[in-house]
Structures are given as C-alpha cells and as structure tokens.
Amino acid sequence: MVVLAASIISKSGKVLVSRQFVDMTRIRIEGLLAAFPKLVGTGKQHTYVETENVRYVYQPIEALYLLLVTNKQSNILEDLETLRLLSKLVPEYSYSLDEEGIGKTAFELIFAFDEVICLGHKENVTVAQVKQYCEMESHEEKLHKLVLQSKINETKDVMKRKASEIEKSKIDKNRGDKGGFMSMGSGRIESSFSDVSISSSGSGFGSGSAFGLTTEVDSFSTKPKGRQPSSATAPPKGLGMQLGKTQKTNQFLASLKAEGELIVEDVQPKAGQSRVAAPPPTDPITLTAEEKLNVTLKRDGGISNFDVQGTLSLQILNQEDGLIQVQIENGSNPGILFKTHPNMNKELFSNENILGLKDPNRPFPTGPAGDAAGVGLLKWRMQSADESMVPLSINCWPSVSGNETYVSIEYEASSMFDLRNVVISVPLPALREAPNIRQIDGEWRYDSRNSTLEWSILLIDNSNRSGSLEFVVPPADSSAFFPISVRFSATSIYSDLKV
C-alpha cells in the first residue's frame, strides 16, 4: 500500500508538478505519466485506471488532472481519501488553476504534498494543519539570510570605498595635468566647483528637461608676502563622496538599504555640510568664490530659465592681516552684473577692480566666528536665454512597443566644463521590480521607495561628452518619466573671476 508519486498534469499530458515518494528513476516516472492520457477513456465515471504494474487514481481540476500513481496492492479507498485532501490543498496555494498558476507555486505545492504523504503513506492531517506546518518560520533560514545580507552590504561598502579612491586619484591627476594650482607672486589660487544640482521637467525630444542647477565654486587661497607657505592645503570642499561608518552597520540600517532607503554614506554632501565637516583653514587669508546655477529647460527644447548667482567671501585668521585690499580680474563676460558690499569703496572697485574698505585704516573682520564662509565682499548675477550656455542637457524618448515601454535617454555636456559626480534622476511609474537596463554609460541605482532611477557618471570630460541609457518598464504614459532632475559639481565658473 504505497503511493509512488503525486502529480499535476495537463489534459494534453504535459507534466507540471510531480513529487515521487519512493526511489524511482526520472525515465520511469516520465514514462508512467506519459502513458496516462492514452489510458483515460471518455464518458466513463470511474476515476482510476489500472495497468499491469501500477494503478492511476485521478481527479479532474478544470483543465488539469490531479493524479496519484500507486502500486496495485494499495488500498484504493485510502488513496481516494488522499486524493480528496490533495484536491483541497491545490486551490489553497494556486489561485489560478492553469499551467501558469501551477508553475508559479510549484514548490509550495510540493512542500504541501510532503506534509500529506510520507514515504508513500498518508499522514493523518487536515488542510489547516498542512498550511500551519508549511508557514512555520526557520531560525536557521533567517540567520542564513542575515549573514548573506551582511556580506552583500560589506561588499557594497568596499566597492564604494574603491570607487571614491579611484575618483580621488583621477581628480588629483587631472588637477596636476591642467595646472589646478597657479602661482601668482607669492600667493596661491585654487578653484573648484563644489556642488551643482539640477531639477528638471521634460520629455519628448529636443533638450530634455527643466534643470534646477546649483553650482558652487570653491576656495581661492592667497597668502601675503613674507609668510612661509603652509606645508599642506585644505582639501577642496564638497568634492567626492562622504563615507559613513560602514563596517559596523546594524541590521536595521541594512534592511533600510535593502528597501531602497538612502543612508548617509550614499548622499552627496551639500555645501553647508561640507564646510562644517571640512577642517579649519590653515592659510592666514582665504578667499572663497561660489556660484549657484539654476536652469530650467523645456520638454521639447528651448530654455525657460537660466540664472547664475555668485559670491566672493573673505576669511582672515589673524587681526594683523586684516589691513588688505583685494585686486580681482572679473573676466570678459559682459552679461555679469557685480554688486559690492555696502562697506566697500565702490569708486575704487569701478575704476581699478580693487576691493577695499571705505575707511582704509579699518581692518576686515577676523576669526572663524559668524558665517563659516567668512565676510561677503562681492556678489554677481547673470541671466541668459542662450541654450548653448547650459553645461548639460538631457534628451528623453519614451516609446511603447507591445506590452513594454522603451525609454532612451542621452546626455550632452558642453565643452566649457568638466563635470564630476553627475547624478541624473529619472522618475518612474510604480513598479514591482527594478527596470530592465538594456544599455548604460556609467552606473545605475533603483530607489524603490521613491520609484526613481538614478544614473551616475563619476566624471564627464572630453572622453565622454555624450552618453546614453536605455531601459524597459511595463506600459506607462510618457509624462510619468518627468520631471528629470540632475545634479553635479565642476571646477570652473561662468564669471571667470580671478584674484
């Protein structure tokens, strides 16, 4: 009295699920199941068929057969009771009784069959007990998953650390090649864009989206004559990634990461944060030039807003260095309007481009107290309707083909600037799974919580002024992929201000 196998097959003879309870070869069970559809007669009321060696006890379930293969000595009444119990279990686990539904829940059905039949003999259980046994949690399985997730998180942390080291070495190499430090007399000038963010709304064709760009240009450092130059310079502010304490990340943070939540080490520091985190300046006199760029492009091409706002601020450590004047060169851009601080000598600036106080005997304020950026000396602003002035444009083409939406996005960067830490954020319709990325220049990350695809390019220079991304999602309206937002940093400024 042994059940050899419990199977679900289609009426055409295709095997969907089969669980063997005795030692059988695959060829033998496939031969037994393939012979069954030929033995079933039409118009007969009984639900069993016998051959020389085995007995088939079966029950139709819509377009499928639930089938028990037993030996001929098995008690048919007990087999029918087993068959009835299995027929009640199948709809509990598979809500659509067709090939697709059975295929999706094949393993759950096999586990349920194992709870009903053990070594070919029926267990004394009910449907509720089988469901309870199958839903029990495994401590070992939970522990294994936690260990696996911690290894994945540790690998990601190592990967981010390596990427930041490669980016830092690349930036240092570029700075060395392009003469990032220029000597003027006995002073030193270093300049860099610190943070640029772009928010956009666009689609269709043309230059893709509305940008809200924020740009910061960092740190002109100069020293008066007669002082020894410091042995090391403060690192440029706002460049690179801020790494958190990733070695001992607890399981709660790891689970948030798995859900797509942004953790501190993934967020690029803003300008204010970078200033607070940066070490105090070691140079006696520090001049910081900062530009913020806000750009909005239309979906079908054209520019609707382009606004550059810049400031030049001064920070002096010691009061004896406060009696100074600042000679500047404001570049050759006629569209920029400059405005000095009310305490500045406006005639001296307009005639000789020198920033000095109205009272030459009065020193500039000193010390790091107050604004971390120092004292504001000069502000400037530029507005333009020239689309060629935009440092980065996005072109987005969504198209529906069958039951899928293909989205192609490309970026084109101006040769005016080298852009760093570029992140292009594309909103997506609500998805169950991450989009299917067909082709990409750079890296990508799917934020499932905000339903956003983030496309990252560490550096855009002359080797990659343009790039593309192609991905596939379920059918969606083209407006679901807008507005696109972009943020980046750069090492040049529009005003070309020099000290």
Side-chain angles (χ1 to χ4, degrees):
M1 291 171 37
V2 175
V3 177
L4 305 181
S7 309
I8 300 176
I9 65 174
S10 67
K11 291 193 174 179
S12 62
K14 181 179 178 182
V15 182
L16 305 180
V17 174
S18 182
R19 176 61 167 152
Q20 286 65 253
F21 301 101
V22 296
D23 190 13
M24 302 175 67
T25 64
R26 178 175 176 175
I27 295 176
R28 172 155 172 74
I29 187 62
E30 286 181 347
L32 290 173
L33 295 177
F36 170 71
K38 303 172 186 175
L39 300 172
V40 178
T42 57
K44 296 180 181 180
Q45 296 299 317
H46 57 71
T47 58
Y48 73 94
V49 177
E50 289 188 356
T51 65
E52 293 181 3
N53 301 316
V54 298
R55 177 188 296 141
Y56 299 96
V57 184
Y58 64 94
Q59 176 177 335
I61 303 179
E62 295 189 5
L64 309 173
Y65 281 122
L66 176 62
L67 174 65
L68 293 182
V69 183
T70 71
N71 58 17
K72 296 183 72 172
Q73 290 76 35
S74 178
N75 186 336
I76 191 170
L77 295 177
E78 187 172 337
D79 295 337
L80 287 172
E81 186 179 348
T82 305
L83 187 67
R84 277 195 296 271
L85 181 56
L86 293 182
S87 67
K88 293 177 183 177
L89 280 172
V90 172
E92 292 287 337
Y93 289 95
S94 178
Y95 295 105
S96 60
L97 297 175
D98 53 16
E99 290 188 19
E100 184 180 1
I102 297 295
K104 285 183 177 179
T105 57
F107 288 103
E108 289 82 356
L109 290 170
I110 288 174
F111 298 148
F113 287 179
D114 280 348
E115 296 296 334
V116 175
I117 304 171
C118 178
L119 298 175
H121 299 282
K122 179 181 180 296
E123 296 284 329
N124 187 19
V125 293
T126 63
V127 174
Q129 287 175 320
V130 171
K131 291 191 70 176
Q132 181 181 1
Y133 296 158
C134 290
E135 289 172 1
M136 285 185 176
E137 294 184 354
S138 167
H139 176 70
E140 288 80 5
E141 181 186 8
K142 273 188 172 182
L143 190 62
H144 171 73
K145 287 183 177 179
L146 288 175
V147 171
L148 188 64
Q149 186 62 41
S150 67
K151 289 181 179 179
I152 292 173
N153 292 337
E154 187 175 346
T155 305
K156 286 182 179 179
D157 296 334
V158 173
M159 181 180 65
K160 288 175 184 174
R161 203 177 306 117
K162 292 289 185 185
S164 65
E165 290 174 2
I166 292 170
E167 170 65 9
K168 185 177 179 181
S169 64
K170 193 181 292 185
I171 291 173
D172 292 342
K173 182 177 179 297
N174 287 343
R175 180 177 295 145
D177 293 343
K178 298 178 182 179
F181 291 93
M182 301 184 299
S183 61
M184 284 178 52
S186 62
R188 182 179 73 255
I189 297 179
E190 65 180 31
S191 69
S192 63
F193 254 8
S194 160
D195 184 25
V196 185
S197 68
I198 307 183
S199 62
S200 71
S201 65
S203 125
F205 57 92
S207 56
S209 307
F211 291 56
L213 247 160
T214 341
T215 323
E216 292 192 4
V217 183
D218 198 71
S219 182
F220 289 94
S221 303
T222 65
K223 293 182 184 176
K225 294 183 179 180
R227 290 189 173 269
Q228 293 296 326
S230 59
S231 58
T233 32
K237 304 167 193 157
L239 291 176
M241 298 176 66
Q242 181 180 358
L243 294 176
K245 296 180 181 178
T246 55
Q247 290 298 326
K248 296 182 179 180
T249 308
N250 59 35
Q251 294 299 332
F252 178 67
L253 291 180
S255 65
L256 286 180
K257 277 187 185 178
E259 293 178 9
E261 185 69 23
L262 286 176
I263 310 298
V264 174
E265 63 263 27
D266 295 333
V267 181
Q268 184 177 347
K270 297 296 180 185
Q273 296 171 345
S274 66
R275 286 196 200 99
V276 173
T282 57
D283 298 324
I285 298 173
T286 303
L287 282 154
T288 304
E290 174 182 284
E291 274 189 355
K292 294 183 179 179
L293 176 61
N294 189 359
V295 179
T296 306
L297 296 179
K298 299 176 184 177
R299 259 172 85 157
D300 301 329
I303 187 168
S304 61
N305 179 52
F306 182 96
D307 184 40
V308 179
Q309 296 186 12
T311 58
L312 177 68
S313 54
L314 170 68
Q315 190 170 3
I316 301 174
L317 293 184
N318 304 311
Q319 190 168 3
E320 60 267 22
D321 298 325
L323 292 167
I324 62 166
Q325 291 182 333
V326 181
Q327 172 76 58
I328 69 164
E329 180 184 330
N330 57 18
S332 58
N333 195 331
I336 296 181
L337 302 176
F338 290 93
K339 184 181 294 185
T340 60
H341 190 277
N343 290 338
M344 294 290 108
N345 189 331
K346 291 182 171 54
E347 292 184 2
L348 186 63
F349 174 71
S350 60
N351 296 332
E352 303 179 41
N353 281 343
I354 293 178
L355 291 169
L357 293 173
K358 291 180 180 178
D359 183 0
N361 298 319
R362 176 184 171 188
F364 281 100
T366 59
D371 186 3
V375 180
L377 303 182
L378 183 67
K379 290 186 178 182
W380 60 91
R381 184 173 184 181
M382 182 182 77
Q383 292 182 323
S384 174
D386 184 4
E387 197 169 346
S388 64
M389 297 288 288
V390 179
L392 186 70
S393 61
I394 304 296
N395 192 359
C396 181
W397 291 73
S399 60
V400 178
S401 176
N403 60 347
E404 292 179 324
T405 299
Y406 291 80
V407 182
S408 297
I409 301 178
E410 64 176 357
Y411 71 80
E412 293 184 9
S414 167
S415 59
M416 291 187 295
F417 301 112
D418 288 350
L419 309 180
R420 293 186 171 88
N421 300 323
V422 181
V423 179
I424 302 171
S425 300
V426 184
L428 301 178
L431 302 178
R432 292 184 178 180
E433 300 175 351
N436 180 12
I437 306 298
R438 295 292 181 89
Q439 186 269 331
I440 186 170
D441 296 326
E443 302 294 330
W444 67 278
R445 188 182 77 88
Y446 175 56
D447 183 357
S448 58
R449 179 156 297 196
N450 298 316
S451 193
T452 303
L453 177 63
E454 293 189 352
W455 177 16
S456 303
I457 305 103
L458 286 178
L459 177 66
I460 297 179
D461 55 14
N462 289 329
S463 64
N464 58 343
R465 289 295 178 192
S466 62
S468 60
L469 160 67
E470 182 179 351
F471 62 90
V472 180
V473 295
D477 186 72
S478 62
S479 61
F481 304 101
F482 300 93
I484 298 173
S485 64
V486 183
R487 64 180 184 271
F488 56 78
S489 59
T491 53
S492 305
I493 54 177
Y494 280 94
S495 61
D496 199 22
L497 186 81
K498 295 181 176 61
V499 176

